[in-house]
Structure formats: structure tokens, C-alpha cells
Amino acid sequence: MNIPEALNALGVRDDTLTAQEKAQLDTVGYLPMPRTLSAAEIAGIRAAMQGVYAKEKTGLEGGPVESSYMQNKAPGFDLCLQKPRVLAAIAYVLDGHVKSFGVHGRPHPPGGERQNLHVDYNGPAPTESCYAVANSLWMLVDFTEKNGATRVVPGSHLSGENPQDALDDPTAPHPDEVLLLGSAGTVVVWNSHLWHGTTANHSKHSRHSLTSFFCRRDDPHMVFSSALSIEAAERLSEQVRCLFADDTPWTPPKE
Ligand SMILES: O=C(O)CCC(=O)C(=O)O
């Protein structure tokens, strides 16, 4: 099975996104998709996430700050690899050359700090028709002005610049930034050359979310593993397996 066949089997068609949605990805660089997850789906993913975080002590003293490749740790994240409209938006940004780098979580607790504006790529500036990276952010609670919603700078993916080089202070508020506000169950797909970053969480609750990250399949600068564990490869459908690229099975990091 090749990638076009896999995307087709996963429900991605030329008209899965409207012309307006595609234009939004081209021009502003991100596309919110409200109501992508049902309440039951959110609850299932959150339970799986809390299970992994508790096991790994993610975000706790002595534990890691984030959990990576979560599809290899529990089946509860499989949905984050197979919603047709999300995959259609990712495939649109990457011109069909989709490779999954899996599902990742980073707790954003009360008091959690603001991140630098950044892009998710270390390679050279992309050309307009050849983007290397695309991300999807899965809101598992409402994203508000108070709880650390992600900020993005619309259109910045077209600048060919990295905010670390272009800005005096990438942590500072940007005059053009927009907060990605939305209800739990919203997924936002962005071109990962778009300048973006978490804002501070001033609320009393954790801002729960996951990302399901993708890159251009043949990109030489993306050197992370895209391997599935044996268990995940046995569980996932052929079409989802096809989105991953490394043949050597993923093995858990040593404790
Ligand atoms: O969680 C967020 O608000 C932003 C995530 C992010 O910046 C990233 O995954 O690169």
C-alpha cells in the first residue's frame, strides 16, 4: 500500500476540505476544526493520557516534561491518527507526502510558562509549494485566554524566517499574534513553519492537549524516529501503519 492508497482508505478525498479551508491553510497557515472529537472520544483519550503520564511521571518532579510516541504506549491515541479531515489538512500542507511522527503530550499545568514563538523545523526555509512539517493540536479541554491557549502569527509560514532569528525576543507578545481559542474536541491543523507557541496558564486547571505531528516523507532534516512498536503495528490498520516509515520497531527508552 502506498501513501495515496492509505490516505484514500482513511477517507481522505480531494473534496474532504473545502476550497476556502485550503485557501486558509495557504494564506494564514492554520485551520481550526471544531467538534472533531465527541465527548466520549475526549474522555477516552484523556483517560489514556492520564494513564501514560502517571506511569511515566510526566510533568512531575523527577519525571520527563513530555511524553513522546504515545501511540506506542497505549491504544487510546489511535484516533489522533485517523480523522479524515485532519489527515486531509495535513496532506494538503505536505502535498500528499505524509509521514507520521506520532502522538505527543506535554502537560500544561496551572502556572505553566509561556513558550518562545518557534517553528517545528531545523532545515532551510521552505518554498511555498514544499513545506516540510505540519502539526495537529487536539484540544482535550476548552482553550481560553486564561489557560494557556496556543498563540500563532497568521501568515508567518510565508516569511521564510525563523522567529528565533527574526525577533529580538521570541517570548514577547507579537503584535499580530492570534490565540487559538476553542472548545474541547477542536483540532487545529497548522503548517509547522507557522510561528507558534504556548502561552502561560493562569488558570487553576491543566490545559490538556495532544499533538499528532507529521513531516514530508522524504525530508532529510527530520531525523527523529517514526517507528511503531510491535504491539502498535499489530493493532493498527494497514493504512495507518503506512503513515509511519521506519521498519525497525520502536523500543521503549530504558528507565
Ligand atoms: O501546546 C501548545 O500550545 C503548542 C505546541 C507546540 O508549540 C508544538 O507542538 O510545537
Side-chain angles (χ1 to χ4, degrees):
M1 180 175 270
N2 59 30
I3 291 291
E5 288 166 349
L7 289 172
N8 187 61
L10 286 161
V12 177
R13 306 282 182 273
D14 282 346
D15 63 356
T16 302
L17 298 184
T18 65
Q20 198 183 351
E21 289 171 327
K22 292 177 185 174
Q24 171 153 352
L25 283 167
D26 287 336
T27 55
V28 294
Y30 64 96
L31 180 64
M33 300 182 180
R35 296 177 296 281
T36 298
L37 294 171
S38 67
E41 288 173 335
I42 295 166
I45 295 174
R46 277 186 62 156
M49 182 190 74
Q50 303 288 17
V52 170
Y53 285 175
K55 193 166 169 213
E56 296 186 343
K57 299 192 171 45
T58 311
L60 299 176
E61 208 171 313
V65 291
E66 63 191 344
S67 183
S68 304
Y69 307 115
M70 294 170 85
Q71 78 284 351
N72 290 332
K73 299 173 180 174
F77 313 105
D78 293 358
L79 271 178
C80 303
L81 299 165
Q82 41 195 324
K83 288 281 181 183
R85 278 176 49 73
V86 175
L87 289 173
I90 297 284
Y92 182 72
V93 173
L94 299 176
D95 203 18
H97 301 278
V98 174
K99 174 159 89 173
S100 172
F101 273 116
V103 179
H104 312 280
R106 176 185 278 264
H108 194 29
E113 287 177 7
R114 181 181 181 83
Q115 258 185 336
N116 282 352
L117 283 172
H118 61 278
V119 298
D120 298 325
Y121 190 57
N122 292 323
T127 60
E128 203 171 319
S129 55
C130 193
Y131 295 115
V133 276
N135 209 350
S136 59
L137 179 137
W138 300 65
M139 297 183 188
L140 302 177
V141 294
D142 295 351
F143 271 38
T144 68
E145 287 177 2
K146 212 171 160 192
N147 72 355
T150 313
R151 59 180 174 141
V152 297
V153 180
S156 51
H157 62 299
L158 301 170
S159 70
E161 290 195 288
N162 189 319
Q164 313 294 334
D165 305 324
L167 301 177
D168 289 337
D169 180 5
T171 317
H174 189 283
D176 300 328
E177 77 186 28
V178 167
L179 279 182
L180 299 179
L181 306 177
S183 305
T186 298
V187 176
V188 185
V189 171
W190 64 69
N191 179 319
S192 273
H193 302 276
L194 186 76
W195 301 2
H196 64 278
T198 310
T199 59
N201 185 351
H202 297 293
S203 78
K204 295 197 171 109
H205 304 284
S206 283
R207 194 221 67 181
H208 290 301
S209 61
L210 295 175
T211 54
S212 182
F213 184 57
F214 297 82
C215 86
R216 183 170 278 264
R217 209 161 177 88
D218 53 6
D219 189 274
H221 304 281
M222 298 300 291
V223 293
F224 312 108
S225 166
S226 68
L228 288 171
S229 64
I230 291 170
E231 201 178 43
E234 282 173 359
R235 179 185 78 238
L236 290 163
S237 63
E238 185 185 2
Q239 47 267 32
V240 174
R241 281 202 310 274
C242 190
L243 301 179
F244 291 80
D246 292 357
D247 291 334
T248 313
W250 179 87
T251 45
K254 295 216 166 38
E255 304 209 346

